[in-house]
Amino acid sequence: MDYILIAELAVSGLFVGLMYALVSLGIVLIYKTSGLVNLAQGAMAMTGGYVTWAIAAGLGAPMWIAIALALVVMFFAGMMVERLALRRMIGQPVIMTIMLTLGIEIMLRGLMPGVFGAAVKRLDIGIPQAPLFLGELLINRATLIGGVISLGLIVLSLAFFNSRYGVVMRAVADDQTASWSVGIRVERAIAVAWGLGAVMATSAGILWGATQGVDWSLSLLLVKALAIAILGGLDSIPGVLLAGLIVGVAESLATGIIDPLVGGGTRDIVASVIILLTLLLKPHGLFGREHIERV
């Protein structure tokens, strides 16, 4: 057994898992505030990548300006989605609201390539393409840097939810009626959560776009993000971090070890198996809170 190869796969999987976790973080931020699972998160990551490319290529802006503008645009786009679409669903069954987010996912998945073209768009954010050697381990430099940036954003999000406004958003998630009664603007808190979710999706879309280019396939990050959110617990940011590492390493090891034996395809199966096993064995995930209601 090639232990160097296994170690290389595991280390690479850790950084890839952190990049997956960044997409999942948006799902958790929205769920922690509104109690709603956002199934449009993958398409929002794809849209953020397209918007960044459009600003950089179409307007000729430096990449750092394009990234900053894209984050601002997507923050307000996320708030607009909540204001124009989700807020209209107040009082409707939760499943219908979730289906609405799935409809947004499907719409964006077709709209963005239709507007900007189906060809892969290259995002050059200044990461060298040459691999990095850590001892005997060969690491993709873009994956390494993307993972480190993702870790930093996840830690910042954890700090944000321990800030004053973060506590307000958590209060909204626990009891919206009680939050209204003490003067908290519940609609604004939920809109901000959607804006932040869009920012996290855009950040992930930029990092993945720099790694593999921007096209419709970025929306498929939704499956990985859901696997991480479900495994970690839909309302747990630390759970996102740990689950992202687990999913990333499991996927990387399966790809490197099992693929040669079965002819490939295991990368797309790992996330689905994790979702299934988690829901069957531990529905609230590793760190999710169990809500008990009297029937």
Side-chain angles (χ1 to χ4, degrees):
M1 181 176 292
D2 190 343
Y3 293 103
I4 296 297
L5 174 61
I6 293 177
E8 191 174 286
L9 290 171
V11 172
S12 177
L14 290 175
F15 295 117
V16 169
L18 288 171
M19 293 172 67
Y20 286 154
L22 188 57
V23 186
S24 183
L25 179 60
I27 295 176
V28 171
L29 290 177
I30 291 172
Y31 185 84
K32 281 177 71 70
T33 306
S34 65
L36 177 68
V37 178
N38 176 25
L39 296 184
Q41 192 69 7
M44 291 172 73
M46 175 196 69
T47 302
Y50 272 116
V51 170
T52 305
W53 173 84
I55 295 174
L59 301 181
M63 184 55 67
W64 67 271
I65 294 180
I67 291 174
L69 288 177
L71 292 174
V72 172
V73 168
M74 289 302 295
F75 176 82
F76 287 105
M79 294 184 69
M80 185 176 67
V81 168
E82 189 280 331
R83 178 65 182 87
L84 299 180
L86 277 301
R87 198 172 298 183
R88 294 175 179 269
M89 300 298 292
I90 293 176
Q92 300 299 320
V94 174
I95 186 63
M96 300 308 297
T97 308
I98 294 175
M99 288 300 101
L100 176 61
T101 67
L102 180 59
I104 295 172
E105 167 83 13
I106 296 170
M107 180 192 71
L108 290 176
R109 189 178 294 184
L111 179 62
M112 291 298 107
V115 172
F116 296 107
V120 177
K121 308 296 189 294
R122 173 66 181 163
L123 272 185
D124 184 4
I125 62 175
I127 299 178
Q129 296 299 308
L132 179 67
F133 288 91
L134 299 177
E136 297 184 42
L137 304 182
L138 179 65
I139 305 298
N140 184 300
R141 195 182 299 262
T143 302
L144 170 64
I145 295 175
V148 172
I149 293 174
S150 299
L151 177 60
L153 291 174
I154 293 171
V155 172
L156 286 176
S157 297
L158 187 59
F160 171 77
F161 262 88
N162 288 314
S163 68
R164 181 175 179 178
Y165 197 77
V167 172
V168 168
M169 296 177 72
R170 285 157 52 191
V172 170
D174 288 338
D175 193 326
Q176 293 187 9
T177 303
S179 299
W180 264 311
S181 68
V182 296
I184 294 175
R185 300 186 62 177
V186 172
E187 296 90 345
R188 174 179 290 182
I190 294 176
V192 169
W194 274 86
L196 292 176
V199 166
M200 294 305 165
T202 301
S203 301
I206 292 169
L207 294 175
W208 278 104
T211 303
Q212 66 181 47
V214 178
D215 65 353
W216 72 271
S217 65
L218 283 182
S219 64
L220 299 179
L221 290 170
L222 174 65
V223 178
K224 322 288 186 180
L226 281 175
I228 292 169
I230 292 171
L231 177 60
L234 281 169
D235 55 1
S236 173
I237 295 178
V240 164
L241 182 56
L242 178 59
L245 297 176
I246 293 173
V247 171
V249 171
E251 182 182 271
S252 182
L253 291 177
T255 302
I257 297 175
I258 301 178
D259 268 7
L261 302 177
V262 300
T266 57
R267 174 180 292 273
D268 299 324
I269 298 176
V270 171
S272 302
V273 170
I274 289 175
I275 291 174
L276 179 62
L277 292 179
T278 304
L279 291 176
L280 290 175
L281 302 178
K282 197 173 178 59
H284 297 284
L286 298 175
F287 298 101
R289 292 186 300 171
E290 182 174 357
H291 299 280
I292 300 176
E293 297 181 1
R294 183 180 300 274
V295 178

